[in-house]
Amino acid sequence: MKIDKYPVVAITGGIGSGKSYVCRLFGERGIRVYDCDSAAKRLMQNSHHLQERLTHLIGPDTYIDGHLNKAAVASFMMQSDDNVKAVNAIVHPAVAEDFFESDYTWMETAILYDCGFDRYADIVIAVVAPIETRISRIMQRDGISREKALEWIAKQMDQKEVEQRSDHVVINDGIHDLASQIDRILTKIKE
């Protein structure tokens, strides 16, 4: 599916790693980054084809007055791993198609390896942070308990594995200088 878009660069990292912030820093350097999560939400809301398929899968209460019923989708997905896979099998290909129809060459996704989007990427940048930093960020951002934050982290691929499978790593711990790390990566990509 990689058509006339080289190199495709993917930025990934677990929840609370600060990848969206790092993407904003790339943006300040003129790099436009396609947000796969936002695109999935937009497509689920606006694509008639996705609406039909999701309604057929989940049921008639998937959309109420033309708006996605997030509670119904979440309830369906929490019932089983098979349900999660079924929803993802509808949404992920639509996001990939939307990315390749866009004029972006960089993407941001927390689940790069989980959803198989790594097959589209020529270069992968992992954003990592210490576990306690991630927990704190999630708790503050979403107003949830430590236990819930840990539960969300546990549902994603282990950060060490993400780091090992990636081409570049940005350490977003509040200590290492982000600007110099980003500039170094951009220099290597341009080489």
Side-chain angles (χ1 to χ4, degrees):
M1 195 182 237
K2 290 192 235 179
I3 305 167
D4 299 331
K5 286 199 161 196
Y6 294 97
V8 171
V9 180
I11 300 174
T12 192
I15 186 169
S17 64
K19 69 191 161 305
S20 295
Y21 179 69
V22 169
C23 286
R24 281 197 295 277
L25 296 178
F26 276 109
E28 290 173 4
R29 288 157 175 77
I31 305 290
R32 294 173 54 246
V33 182
Y34 178 94
D35 181 340
C36 289
D37 189 46
S38 294
K41 291 173 185 167
R42 174 179 47 83
L43 291 167
M44 289 171 74
Q45 182 59 53
N46 299 324
S47 166
H48 184 67
H49 178 66
L50 245 59
Q51 288 179 10
E52 284 181 352
R53 293 189 64 199
L54 289 168
T55 300
H56 179 75
L57 175 67
I58 298 169
D61 61 342
T62 306
Y63 290 87
I64 298 174
D65 297 327
H67 296 283
L68 183 66
N69 181 355
K70 294 176 188 173
V73 176
S75 174
F76 177 80
M77 292 177 77
M78 285 192 288
Q79 290 172 19
S80 73
D81 287 343
D82 286 341
N83 286 4
V84 172
K85 289 176 187 170
V87 170
N88 289 345
I90 294 170
V91 177
H92 291 168
V95 171
E97 182 178 344
D98 189 66
F99 172 75
F100 282 102
E101 288 176 354
S102 75
D103 60 351
Y104 287 85
T105 58
W106 288 56
M107 72 168 72
E108 170 194 356
T109 176
I111 56 171
L112 179 77
Y113 296 109
D114 310 72
C115 71
F117 278 19
D118 58 307
R119 70 182 176 271
Y120 306 131
D122 299 295
I123 299 166
V124 177
I125 301 167
V127 180
V128 301
I131 188 73
E132 289 302 324
T133 303
R134 293 174 65 196
I135 292 166
S136 175
R137 287 174 181 163
I138 298 165
M139 289 171 63
Q140 287 178 346
R141 183 190 69 195
D142 298 315
I144 61 170
S145 68
R146 177 181 176 81
E147 292 72 27
K148 191 69 173 171
L150 282 166
E151 185 182 317
W152 288 359
I153 289 170
K155 288 184 179 186
Q156 294 184 333
M157 181 180 282
D158 181 71
Q159 182 172 261
K160 276 288 178 210
E161 184 176 350
V162 171
E163 190 175 338
Q164 289 168 354
R165 293 176 66 175
S166 300
D167 301 297
H168 303 280
V169 176
V170 173
I171 302 168
N172 185 12
D173 58 2
I175 299 167
H176 291 78
D177 181 57
L178 289 174
S180 62
Q181 292 180 77
I182 288 168
D183 292 341
R184 191 165 40 250
I185 289 169
L186 285 174
T187 299
K188 286 181 181 175
I189 289 173
K190 288 173 185 173
E191 287 173 352

